[in-house]
Amino acid sequence: MSARTESLQPAELKAVYAISRIVAETLDRDEALAAIVRLARPVFIFDNAVLYLETEQGGLEPAFARAIGRGRSTEADLAWGERAAYEAFHTGSDFLYQPEVDPNRDRLEQHFYLALPLRLGGKCIGSLVFIRFGGPTYKEEQINLAKFIATHVSQVLEHRRLVERIANLEAERRLARLQSDFVATISHEFKTPLGFIKGYSTTLLRKDTEWDAQTRREFLGIIDEEADRLSELMDNLLDSSRLQTGTLDVTKQPVDLNALIDEAQARWQTRHPELEIHWQPGPSVHVLGDPKRLAQVLENLVGNAAKYAPEGPIWIALKQQAGWAQISVRDSGPGIKESEQTLIFKRFYRSSSLKSGTRGSGLGLYICEQIVKAHSGEIHVKSGEGIGAEFQVRLPLDDARAARGDKEKAL
């Protein structure tokens, strides 16, 4: 496919120049093609223009089409030149079909095809088809102009291919960095409790030293805590992986959030009697959810509050309003910068102001957000540096239970 500018008229040259600018300035393929069709139509007669691209199976399928001339109102019934597209694609040459005009037949039934192969890197990747209904026949200078247009369409496709290639490279770079961060984070997180377990168990097994009962109990307590820490890390990693693949199991049933928090608070106080938790149970508030996963959200939020604000109390509140239940977990810790308040829900992200002196994998809040979303809910944080943090979880109320309650009240 070749074309020469000598045959072009001033108006055609002007259109080609405008098309060149579109190709250079427009990143969106369909937007560029629509502009090319709009610019070409005044200087090159056609009723339909169709772009066919090669499929992975070696066939062709339309990627862009415009009906702008005769028969536009019956677009669905029009011919789109598929056979002409195949001829140009398989031969690599222009394909021209121009029947004798029959003045007694409907013009929409008399199809004139001009199909041009499209090439990228020496390979034919599709066809551009122009269709006229009822003529006129394509003249040589018009075919020459059509070749210019096809060349520019190829450039649009090349542009898009380069943009996609850059996007893929960027995605690969981000993935590689994520994997690197993952390995570094997890290696560090696993190494720390393993180091404690190994160190204290080795110390207890020393044959040259006798340990009193209190010391042994203290060392075994540390080993037990670090083993729990390892188990928690493994659970978080597995849940994170399941969330990424969309296979996290969520089985919903009516859940009384008041009872759920009550039970969770009792567990925390048993495990950590030194933790000061303010929680005032109230009336039942029901949502439709997975009690195990919702308890996991509470566990993560309270665990974070205890981790980052060990000296201060934790406040838990539950309220019901306008079809929603809201659970709040507030601490008096160092707080979270405003610039990081959306980032902390991302996988493996850890706040720069919280990294020092605290241990974490950066998975807890990510898992919380995904579980809450799986319940059609929302999670937010209200915070600022030095003023603590309040995490708010909003979940839709159980409508069926609320309706039954209203009915019972009416009776």
Side-chain angles (χ1 to χ4, degrees):
M1 183 172 58
S2 62
R4 300 181 60 185
T5 57
E6 290 86 348
S7 64
L8 299 181
Q9 299 298 312
E12 296 168 342
L13 280 171
K14 185 177 179 181
V16 169
Y17 173 71
I19 289 171
S20 299
R21 288 192 58 184
I22 291 294
V23 171
E25 297 173 357
T26 309
L27 294 177
D28 184 88
R29 185 196 70 182
D30 288 353
E31 184 182 335
L33 292 174
I36 290 173
V37 168
R38 187 180 68 252
L39 291 166
R41 184 63 169 76
V43 294
F44 177 59
I45 300 169
F46 57 90
D47 295 298
N48 288 359
V50 191
L51 169 67
Y52 286 88
L53 293 179
E54 184 179 19
T55 64
E56 292 183 357
Q57 293 74 33
L60 288 179
E61 65 179 12
F64 177 87
R66 282 290 184 276
I68 59 176
R70 300 183 183 96
R72 188 177 177 184
S73 60
T74 57
E75 184 173 315
D77 299 326
L78 296 182
W80 296 102
E82 185 175 359
R83 182 181 171 186
Y86 271 96
E87 288 289 342
F89 175 69
H90 287 303
T91 63
S93 302
D94 306 340
F95 175 80
L96 188 61
Y97 176 75
Q98 306 192 102
E100 287 286 337
V101 177
D102 183 350
N104 297 318
R105 287 183 63 199
D106 187 338
R107 295 173 68 86
L108 293 179
E109 296 177 354
Q110 302 181 61
H111 307 154
F112 289 64
Y113 296 115
L114 172 59
L116 306 155
L118 300 173
R119 293 188 180 85
L120 282 182
K123 181 178 180 296
C124 192
I125 52 96
S127 302
L128 179 64
V129 182
F130 293 103
I131 305 164
R132 293 174 176 175
F133 297 113
T137 56
Y138 293 98
K139 297 179 180 176
E140 184 178 350
E141 59 270 24
Q142 292 176 330
I143 296 173
N144 199 31
L145 176 58
K147 290 179 180 179
F148 270 104
I149 296 170
T151 301
H152 283 86
V153 170
S154 294
Q155 290 174 357
V156 169
L157 299 175
E158 173 68 3
H159 198 176
R160 179 185 174 90
R161 189 182 68 83
L162 289 174
V163 169
E164 290 177 346
R165 177 60 180 156
I166 291 171
N168 289 337
L169 288 173
E170 179 62 21
E172 289 172 6
R173 189 182 67 82
R174 286 200 302 269
L175 179 61
R177 189 174 62 187
L178 188 64
Q179 289 173 333
S180 176
D181 291 346
F182 171 80
V183 171
T185 302
I186 296 306
S187 298
H188 174 74
E189 290 302 316
F190 273 80
K191 193 173 181 179
T192 303
L194 278 173
F196 277 110
I197 292 171
K198 176 64 177 174
Y200 281 99
S201 58
T202 301
T203 302
L204 285 174
L205 289 171
R206 285 179 59 176
K207 294 180 180 178
D208 59 344
T209 306
E210 289 289 334
W211 302 101
D212 59 59
Q214 182 179 349
T215 303
R216 281 202 303 274
R217 198 161 42 249
E218 180 184 343
F219 286 5
L220 287 171
I222 293 171
I223 291 172
D224 183 59
E225 287 180 6
E226 296 303 322
D228 286 344
R229 169 71 184 151
L230 275 178
S231 177
E232 180 189 342
L233 275 171
M234 285 300 301
D235 288 342
N236 281 342
L237 279 173
L238 288 172
D239 284 346
S240 174
S241 176
R242 292 181 185 123
L243 285 165
Q244 287 284 297
T245 56
T247 57
L248 184 72
D249 183 30
V250 176
T251 306
K252 294 182 180 179
Q253 63 186 65
V255 178
D256 181 354
L257 291 179
N258 189 74
L260 191 79
I261 298 172
D262 215 24
E263 292 169 7
Q265 192 257 355
R267 286 199 304 275
W268 294 321
Q269 294 286 225
T270 302
R271 294 204 312 261
H272 306 287
E274 76 288 355
L275 204 58
E276 184 181 345
I277 300 177
H278 296 275
W279 156 246
Q280 186 61 48
S284 297
V285 177
H286 288 90
V287 299
L288 200 59
D290 185 324
K292 178 183 171 185
R293 295 301 175 192
L294 293 177
Q296 187 178 358
V297 171
L298 288 170
E299 186 75 33
N300 279 338
L301 294 181
V302 174
N304 276 351
K307 185 188 303 180
Y308 296 118
E311 305 299 327
I314 298 168
W315 293 269
I316 304 174
L318 171 64
K319 62 182 180 181
Q320 176 178 333
Q321 56 184 15
W324 292 84
Q326 178 174 299
I327 303 171
S328 302
V329 178
R330 179 164 61 91
D331 65 55
S332 55
I336 302 166
K337 296 176 186 174
E338 186 175 354
S339 60
E340 293 185 308
Q341 289 179 15
T342 55
L343 298 175
I344 57 175
F345 294 102
K346 293 188 180 297
R347 200 173 182 225
F348 299 124
Y349 185 85
R350 298 201 64 213
S351 170
S352 59
S353 58
L354 301 178
K355 284 180 181 176
S356 177
T358 56
R359 295 158 59 186
S361 61
L363 290 172
L365 289 177
Y366 165 77
I367 291 171
C368 284
E369 184 182 51
Q370 299 305 311
I371 291 175
V372 171
K373 283 183 175 178
H375 287 77
S376 303
E378 304 166 351
I379 183 170
H380 306 283
V381 62
K382 294 171 63 178
S383 184
E385 288 186 85
I387 61 170
E390 178 177 338
F391 286 86
Q392 298 178 343
V393 175
R394 282 164 53 83
L395 299 167
L397 294 174
D398 182 356
D399 293 335
R401 179 171 285 271
R404 285 199 302 273
D406 291 342
K407 188 175 180 180
E408 288 169 1
K409 286 179 184 177
L411 293 174

